[in-house]
Amino acid sequence: MSHKQTVFADRKMVLRAIKDSFIKLDPRIQVKNPVMLLVYVSAILTTLLSILAIFDIKDSSGGYTLAIAIILWFTVLFANFAEAIAQGRGKAQADALRAAKKDVIAHKIPSLDQRDMICDVASTALKKKDLYIVKAGEQVPADGEVIEGAASVDESAITGESAPVIREAGGDRSAVTGGTTVISDWLIVEVSNEAGESFLDKMIAMVEGASRKKTPNEIALQIFLIALSIIFILVTLSLYMYANFSAKLAGIVNPTSVTTLVALLVCLAPTTIGALLSAIGIAGMSRLNQANVLAMSGRAIEAAGDVDILMLDKTGTITFGNRQASEFIPLQGVSADDLADAAQLSSLADETPEGRSIVVLAKEQFNLRGRSLSDQGMTFIPFTAKTRMSGVDIKGEEIRKGAAETIKAYVQENGGIYPKECDEIVTRIANMGGTPLVVSKKYQVLGVIYLKDIIKHGVSEKFADLRKMGIKTIMITGDNPLTAAAIAAEAGVDDFLAEATPEGKLAMIRDFQRQGHLVAMTGDGTNDAPALAQADVAVAMNSGTQAAKEAGNMVDLDSSPTKLIDIVRIGKQLLMTRGSLTTFSIANDVAKYFAIIPAMFLTIYPELSALNIMHLHNSQSAVLSAIIYNALIIVALIPLALKGVRYREVSAGSLLSRNLLIYGLGGIITPFIFVKLIDMLLVFFHLV
C-alpha cells in the first residue's frame, strides 16, 4: 500500500480487518486489554438488560437500553478493528515473505576437504554447523556464514532492492540469508540457525505481530489507564449511591438507571487511548518495517525515541566511503602535468575507487586521455599489503605511488633522495583530514596526490536538526585524530572517536550509559558485536556478519548506515503519537461530564440545568450522544494512530507546548462540538 493512500484504501486489508474484528471478540483476546474489557463486559451487561426489558411489558426503557448495548458492541468492534488494521500491514508483508520462503534442495557436504561428496537434502533438514554449497542460479537454502568463495547474490526477496550484492568469505560481508538467490559463482556456507529459527522465520513472526511484546512504557501506560478506570468505577458507584440517597430525601424514585451508569462509566474511562494503544505500537513497528528495518523488540523502537547519543560510522554514513583524488601537488621544479601523467599511468590498473578517481582527475584537469591497459611496454605492479604501493614499469622507468613512509623507504633504498618539502605537504594534507599518496618516477619524488573524504550532501543539516532534538552526534572512525578532527568539523558532528577499536567503542558507550544517557550505534562487523550488544539501540547491517546481527536489536535490511537517523525519528514519532492521543483521550472526558452528569441528576436537582451548556435535548439524548461520540472518535483517530503524529525537529519543550495546544485543548473542544451535532441528528430523525 502506498504511503500516500489512506489506511482504508486497501479493500482486501480492510475486509480482513473487519473479519478479524469479530474474531477478536473472543474473551481470551479481550482480557489482554483491561480498559476495553470493561467496555466488553458493559456491552454484555446492557445486552442482557435490554433482553430482560423486552420481556418486561411495564419497562419502557428497552429501546434505550438496546441502543446503548449496540453502541457499546460497536465500540468494542471499532477497537478490535483499529488493532486489526494495524496488524494488516504486517500480515501483508509477512505473506510476501512467506512467498519467498520455499523448501529447496540443499547440496550438503561433509567438510571443506570433502566438497565433492555432495548429498542433496531438503533445506528443512539442515542443522546448525552443517556445510552446503550453493551455485549460480540456485536459492540459498538456509542462513549462514560464507566460509569459502565469493558470489553475487540477489537479496530482493528480503530487502526489495533489485541491485545484487557481493557475499564472500572473511570480512564483514560474509552472512547470507535463506531465500536469497546466487547470481554468479559459488559459495560454501556454514549453517548458523536450526530449522524454523532462520532470519526469515523471525522476520515473518515480527512483521505480522506474532512476536510483539508490550514495551515497559506501554505496560506503564496501561497500568495508569487501569488505575483511572478503577477510579471511575468507584466514582460511578458513588454517584449512584448519592443519586439513590438524594432521591429518597426528595421522596421520588431514583431516576438513574443501571444503563445510564454503565454509559457514564464507559464515557469517563479512557476508552479512546485504550482502544488505540495496541494499534499505535503495532503501527510504529510497521513504519519501521516499511523503512526496511526489522526490530527484534518493541523496546528498541521506544528506546530510539529517547536516544540522546548517536554514534555513527564515518565511512558510508558521513562520507561516501571512498576517498577521491581532489588535487595534484607537485614538488618545486616539477610540473603539474608531469605529476598528473605519472599518477595516471600508475593508476591505470588500479580498480579501487581511489585509483579510478586519480585517472578521472588527470583526464579532467590535464586532458590525459586515450590510454588503456592494452598499451605496449607496460608492466603493472599491483598493490599488496606487504609493499603498500602500486605502479607501472614502462620503457625501463619505474613509476610508483603509495603511502609516504613506503615511498620514502623505496626511494632511499634505490639511491634516491626524499625531499623535506614532500614531508611538509604530506603533513599539511593529513592535518586537513585528507590522505596523501606520494608519487615517484625513476626513484625521484614528483609530488603528492591529495585524496579527500567526500562528505555526503546535507549531513551537516541533518546533524543540526539532531542537535535541536537534543541528540549529541559522535563520529566513529579508524582515522588518526588529526584526520578525524578535520572531517568532524566539516561534517558538523559534536564529537568523534578516532583510531576506534572494539574496546574503545564499548568503553565510550558504557561511560555515557553510566551518566544516564541512552546510546544508539550502528555496525556490521564481528568487531562491532560487543558495542552493539551494549548499546540501547543497536542497528546491525543485514550485509554484515551473523555475530553483528545477533548482537543488535534491529537489522537494517538495506544496510544503509544513515538509516539510524530515520530510526530515531520513527521512535520519537511513536512516543509522540502515544502521548498526544493519551492527552486527547483524557481531555475528551471534560465534555462528557457536561453531557451526562446533568442528565443523571436533572430530575433530582433541576438547578443542574445550568451545566447543560450544550443544551442537549433530554437525558436519553445526552447519554446516547456522548456514547455514540465515544465510539466514533475511535474510528476517526485510527488513521492518525497508524500514520503517527507529524514529527518536527524542534526541542522537547516546543513539542510539548504544541501538542498540549492541539491535542489537549483540541481534546476538550472537539467533543462539545460533535456531541451537540449528534444530539441534533437524533432529534432531527426522531430517535429520542
Side-chain angles (χ1 to χ4, degrees), residues 194-240:
E194 298 289 352
E197 298 178 1
S198 70
F199 179 72
L200 201 55
D201 290 316
K202 292 176 184 176
M203 187 174 176
I204 290 170
M206 288 300 299
V207 299
E208 68 180 358
S211 295
R212 181 182 176 270
K213 295 180 180 179
K214 290 180 179 176
T215 63
N217 283 349
E218 198 172 347
I219 292 169
L221 178 56
Q222 192 166 65
I223 291 171
F224 171 68
L225 297 179
I226 292 169
L228 276 182
S229 300
I230 292 171
I231 291 170
F232 286 127
I233 290 173
L234 296 175
V235 167
T236 304
L237 290 173
S238 299
L239 286 172
Y240 179 74

Side-chain angles (χ1 to χ4, degrees), residues 160 224 314 325 338 412 668 672:
F224 171 68
K314 180 205 74 175
D338 289 341
Q412 290 177 342
I668 293 173
F672 277 98

